[in-house]
Amino acid sequence: MELLSTDREKITSEWIDGVTSSLQGRISKAEVDRELRELYEALVQGLRAGGEETRGDGFSEVRALLTELSRNRARQGFTPSETAISVLALKQALEPVLRNDSAEETTAYLRLGRALDDLALYTVEVYTRTREEIISSQAAQLMELSTPVVKLWEGVIAVPLVGTLDSARTQVVMEKLLQALVDTGSEQAIIDITGVPAVDTQVAQHLLKTVVAARLMGAECTVSGIRPQIAQTIVALGIEFGDIVTKATLADALQHALRKSGVDLVTHQDARR
Amino acid sequence: MTERVPVLRIGDILLVSIQVDLEDQTVLDLQEDLAEQIVARAARGVVIDITAVEIVDSFVGRMLATIASISRLLDAETVVVGMRPAVAITLVELGLSLGGVRTALDLEKGLALLRRSATGAELP
């Protein structure tokens, strides 16, 4: 593949142009330039050392560079094709060099093409993996963000639930709530479901379990924030909340919890304007 | 010979603090001891402290309910205190809600609960 090294300047600039235009200016040309020149060097060296064995040792540097490139592209929100084009554009850049129609060069080009296809597939692979990592880390963050346990009063804690409840999340909520009961020594807990868009039998089941577990530990649990539509759904589904105290709003639940823990709320007439 | 769980007396309340791993025989012995002690000492309340218990099975869960029923027959009220979150979750998953058993977060609150019910005050 002497061609690659002799016509280096021409091919790389062609390549860089191709890639830059496909990315529509979302990455600066200088950056693409730097990335691709490095990649080109590594590729030439790889081809010299390892032939077309793209998964072999000779290409370890190329793979490392491609990994970095694909990761960056995935983080910056490019599509998989825009990532793979970074490699595939080299094929196009090579075409003008093949003008003299010799059979030897054509086969060499085809072999190189195969190697490049392989590398392009590799970028897509890394791209997908990076995306999956991002998604799972976001899911974990969301889980932490959405289940705070807040202290409302001495001996009263609350969990405002926001978003759809599934088994995994309810498990986290349950554990956090029960641990908070122990840590704060609270005897009253309020689960506020104002932010839960839908309640089905499974969610109700989870709520009931949490309430019973809290009761086992010696605390009382109130469910609040049941919206009218949700109340209708619950009744229509035939879910029995049994002797669990339910309130329409968090304020009502707090008042109930305070009364249970022996705090009296007094309204001063003269304090009102 | 398995270990026996000691039953302590504070006033007219019996305190059982479970510090060992519960084996089936230990549990049966405890049940027997407790029934005898309630009668012998005319106890009005029983506090079972399970702060140190990390692992429960359905047998232990049923034992707690049984002890509560026995005590109630002998006119003593049972309070289970200090249940860990993991234990509570396990019991719920096992489908045991310990219907007749009263619970409290810690020993202090458990004793306060018994004292309140002994004086006939309105329970919270």
Side-chain angles (χ1 to χ4, degrees), chain B residues 10-106:
Chain B
I10 311 172
D12 56 0
I13 290 169
L14 293 179
L15 171 62
V16 184
S17 183
I18 298 173
Q19 305 282 351
V20 292
D21 285 338
L22 287 168
E23 287 169 26
D24 290 3
Q25 192 54 47
T26 323
V27 170
L28 293 173
D29 288 346
L30 172 63
Q31 212 165 297
E32 211 169 290
D33 286 355
L34 205 54
E36 269 171 36
Q37 294 280 344
I38 293 172
V39 175
R41 303 191 172 177
R44 301 298 309 271
V46 178
V47 177
I48 304 175
D49 176 27
I50 55 168
T51 314
V53 176
E54 288 181 21
I55 300 165
V56 288
D57 52 19
S58 54
F59 187 78
V60 173
R62 225 181 49 226
M63 169 278 274
L64 292 173
T66 315
I67 288 181
S69 308
I70 295 172
S71 312
R72 203 173 309 119
L73 270 180
L74 300 170
D75 195 24
E77 203 170 343
T78 309
V79 183
V80 175
V81 302
M83 191 184 289
R84 288 170 181 241
V87 171
I89 293 174
T90 312
L91 287 179
V92 173
E93 295 294 341
L94 287 171
L96 295 164
S97 57
L98 303 186
V101 187
R102 318 199 59 172
T103 49
L105 279 180
D106 52 31

Side-chain angles (χ1 to χ4, degrees), chain A residues 84-152:
Chain A
I85 205 84
S86 304
V87 176
L88 295 176
L90 180 58
K91 277 165 100 177
Q92 212 175 352
L94 277 173
E95 269 169 29
V97 192
L98 293 170
R99 285 296 169 239
N100 46 359
D101 276 345
S102 83
E104 198 184 325
E105 265 186 10
T106 317
T107 39
Y109 174 75
L110 286 175
R111 271 161 54 208
L112 178 66
R114 254 203 312 278
L116 288 177
D117 288 346
D118 244 9
L119 290 172
L121 277 179
Y122 179 76
T123 60
V124 177
E125 228 172 78
V126 176
Y127 177 92
T128 322
R129 216 181 308 135
T130 314
R131 268 296 161 95
E132 267 160 24
E133 277 166 24
I134 293 173
I135 291 171
S136 65
S137 82
Q138 280 175 343
Q141 278 177 8
L142 203 63
M143 191 83 98
E144 282 170 24
L145 275 179
S146 59
T147 52
V149 178
V150 291
K151 182 175 172 181
L152 292 182

